[in-house]
């Protein structure tokens, strides 16, 4: 069975080696770099076995992208504290959505309307929409990329229709197919990235119920999520162009 590897980062300026990956199940670190093959160099390595392979990487790669502790202890915040982040961010808030559905959407009155009519109702007077409009009108950037299955689930179709509301508040709402997300090595997790310095990982149970939020501020980890954001935005297209693909 293949490992489940997470890309941690690279200091390469051209997208190649060296790089660090992590096995999300075992916690093992996979380092890729330039092979060390000179027999005299290999002869200096202690405990080097016949099936071992040595690679050389810059020191800053391990400093910037290697683990900083044996076990990361999650820092959790409640939903009230999470909500305050949307009022106090300084310049940007960006969201990656990867789930096939959300319990909160299915409980929304507008979801039933969507299932009946094919169009999600817009409520631009909601607290959420009013706040996001205030933020974008103040010159701040708010955006999101939604990953969509082929064919889309009802929950994904609902959010694609609701994206009209997102865009009306000034959000940069975008979509991409799941196969394109996998090709871009995007993680299968939902998170918000605030001001390129704080990551809020949204944690759900198996019934798609949103429970709590894990906060990450460690610079190397935040950098990895910034790279995910850049890759997601590059691979995605505006929601209206995506919706046109479905109709076509």
């Amino acid at each position: 069975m293949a490992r489940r590897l997470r890309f941690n980062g690279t200091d390469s300026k051209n997208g190649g080696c060296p790089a660090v990956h992590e096995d999300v199940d075992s916690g093992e670190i996979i380092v890729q770099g330039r092979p060390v093959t000179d027999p005299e160099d290999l002869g200096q390595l202690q405990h080097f076995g016949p099936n071992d392979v040595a690679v050389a990487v810059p020191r800053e790669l391990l400093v910037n992208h290697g683990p900083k502790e044996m076990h990361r202890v999650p820092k959790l915040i409640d939903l009230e504290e999470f909500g305050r982040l949307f009022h106090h961010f300084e310049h940007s808030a960006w969201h990656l959505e990867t789930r096939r559905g959300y319990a909160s959407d299915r409980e929304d009155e507008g979801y039933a309307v969507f299932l009946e009519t094919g169009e999600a109702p817009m409520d631009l007077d909601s607290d959420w929409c009013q706040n996001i409009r205030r933020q974008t009108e103040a010159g701040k950037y708010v955006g999101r990329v939604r990953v969509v299955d082929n064919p889309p689930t009802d929950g994904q179709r609902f959010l694609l229709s609701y994206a009209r509301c997102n865009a009306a508040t000034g959000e940069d709402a975008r979509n991409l197919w799941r196969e394109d997300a996998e090709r871009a090595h995007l993680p299968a997790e939902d998170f918000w990235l605030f001001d390129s310095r704080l990551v809020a990982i949204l944690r759900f149970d198996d019934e798609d119920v949103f429970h709590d939020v894990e906060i990450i501020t460690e610079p190397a980890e935040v950098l990895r999520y910034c790279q995910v954001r850049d890759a997601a935005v590059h691979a995605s297209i505006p929601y209206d162009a995506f919706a046109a693909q479905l109709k076509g």
Side-chain angles (χ1 to χ4, degrees):
M1 183 176 179
R3 293 174 180 263
R4 293 195 303 141
L5 298 182
R6 182 180 71 184
F7 175 68
N8 278 11
T10 177
D11 287 324
S12 172
K13 303 301 186 292
N14 58 12
C17 285
V20 173
H21 292 74
E22 181 175 350
D23 187 316
V24 298
D25 297 312
S26 70
E28 291 180 302
I29 304 301
I30 312 297
V31 180
Q32 65 185 75
R34 178 171 52 83
V36 177
T37 58
D38 187 289
E40 293 187 5
D41 292 339
L42 295 176
Q44 300 179 62
L45 300 179
Q46 299 185 37
H47 312 296
F48 191 78
N51 296 319
D52 292 342
V53 176
V55 299
V57 299
R59 178 183 295 270
E60 58 266 25
L61 176 73
L62 301 182
V63 172
N64 292 337
H65 303 292
K68 303 302 185 292
E69 51 196 11
M70 285 296 294
H71 302 285
R72 190 178 72 194
V73 178
K75 176 186 176 183
L76 302 182
I77 62 173
D78 60 28
L79 301 187
E80 181 178 349
E81 186 174 354
F82 174 57
R84 288 197 291 269
L85 293 174
F86 295 94
H87 292 268
H88 301 298
F89 69 94
E90 296 180 4
H91 54 75
S92 63
W94 184 84
H95 190 194
L96 178 66
E97 299 181 27
T98 65
R99 299 186 68 82
R100 291 172 170 81
Y102 298 86
S104 58
D105 289 338
R106 297 191 291 269
E107 296 167 357
D108 191 295
E109 293 180 359
Y111 191 80
V113 174
F114 166 76
L115 293 179
E116 182 178 348
T117 66
E119 188 168 291
M122 295 178 60
D123 182 11
L124 295 177
D125 293 325
S126 68
D127 291 341
W128 169 266
C129 288
Q130 289 187 45
N131 177 59
I132 296 302
R133 180 184 287 140
R134 283 195 299 270
Q135 303 297 342
T136 57
E137 288 178 349
K140 301 178 186 180
Y141 172 78
V142 180
R144 72 179 72 221
V145 169
R146 289 179 170 131
V147 176
V148 180
D149 290 282
N150 190 10
T153 65
D154 286 341
Q156 292 166 344
R157 290 173 50 244
F158 169 74
L159 290 174
L160 185 58
S161 178
Y162 186 77
R164 296 176 298 113
C165 189
N166 296 130
T169 66
E171 275 197 41
D172 176 25
R174 307 175 67 86
N175 290 80
L176 81 165
W177 295 109
R178 189 170 300 277
E179 61 185 22
D180 294 325
E182 293 172 350
R183 191 175 298 115
H185 304 293
L186 302 187
E189 59 186 343
D190 278 42
F191 68 87
W192 278 92
L193 175 62
F194 295 94
D195 297 328
S196 298
R197 64 176 180 80
L198 183 150
V199 180
I201 307 293
L202 311 189
R203 309 206 313 180
F204 299 82
D205 65 17
D206 293 338
E207 301 300 321
D208 303 320
V209 176
F210 177 35
H211 276 288
D212 52 36
V213 180
E214 177 183 350
I215 294 298
I216 296 174
T217 57
E218 200 280 315
E221 278 289 282
V222 172
L223 172 60
R224 183 173 69 83
Y225 284 98
C226 289
Q227 293 172 334
V228 168
R229 174 198 57 199
D230 293 347
V233 171
H234 176 73
S236 61
I237 62 176
Y239 82 93
D240 49 355
F242 191 88
Q245 288 183 359
L246 293 180
K247 295 178 181 178

